[in-house]
Amino acid sequence: MDDKTSSLRQSFGELIEKVKSSDEIEQLRVEFLGKKGHVSALMSQLKTVPNEQKKAFGQSVNQLKQEIEGQLKEAHDRIAALEEQRLINSAEDYDVTLPMDIDTGSYHPITLVMREIEEIFRSMGFTVEDFSEITDDYNCFEALNIPKHHPARDMQDTYYLSSGQLLKTHTSAAQNSIMKKYGAPLRAIFPGRCFRNESTDACHETTFFQVEGIMIDEDISISNLIYFMKTMLSEVFGKDVTVRLRPGFFPFVEPGFELDIQCLICGGEGCPSCKNSGWLELCPCGMIHPNVLKYGGIDSEKYTGFAFGLGLTRLAMMQYEIKDIRTLNSGNLKALSQFKGK
Ligand code: DAH
């Protein structure tokens, strides 16, 4: 019996020396330690061993089993170390200076234009504020001089939430909180996503971006408004732009205006892009209504201010010549990745 144990030990010893992979180790394990393996077969001969030798026989087979287990583990560790070394060597062979062909992604055109505008206004002393997309009736309408049942509410088809709150329909919804937070004097812009329950087409989307701006101080007048808008638009378009104001009605400004810029494509002569009018409607604005200042806790006798609501999505479409607004929300990376910042 001892002969069998030692010949098994010897043949295992020869085989384990030669293994080169984890698969081969596993094969050996099954061959020797598996249910139908050599060690089990040896152990099954215990019943034929005379009683007085049973104990010694059992011990020597168990001893062999432990030795085999130990050697299998050693072989496993040895091969794992070799594998690791092979990986390290192959990494060293890799030329890290070779040019990569990796798609690095790009910023969304809205992000690009938004950052540009933020930078321009920061350089003119404005802070950039953030405001939540969910707000309430007070902030979105009442604090903006749009009481319940006011016809102006019809202009903005609103998504109401079951909590009674709503998705902000315009960035003007942040005016009241920002006035209360900072008081006067104040210069702030607040870009953000807005939502309206609109039917979509090439020019309309249920989700779009605006940048709201307010400037409040003593003696602020319409000329300040024109100056800031003209400066900002000239910076964005990289050339001097001509602007004009037309009267417009918004309950939170008095007087209210529509600010148009002269068409940059035809220079005001008239072309399909400006529907032959020579002008493009870009930014509603006006002098903040005294009621809105009061709701914001600002002394309307002492302070005046202007506000504007720039259509950021529109601006991005103009700047990047995007013909269909739906491209912006499409998630179509092929279309969106072609836009690069200046
Ligand atoms: N909040 C208005 C809208 O989305 C746009 C607007 C008009 C904003 C006049 C203003 C403003 O700040 O003065 O329809």
Side-chain angles (χ1 to χ4, degrees), residues 156 169-170 172 175 196 210 212 250 252-253 284-286 307-309:
Q156 305 185 355
T169 55
H170 53 175
S172 309
Q175 283 195 16
R196 286 188 204 173
Q210 293 184 336
E212 188 87 3
F250 305 95
F252 36 95
V253 280
C285 53
F308 62 86

Side-chain angles (χ1 to χ4, degrees), residues 163-178:
S163 60
Q165 292 171 297
L166 50 88
L167 298 182
K168 74 171 188 272
T169 55
H170 53 175
T171 41
S172 309
Q175 283 195 16
N176 185 266
S177 313
I178 287 166

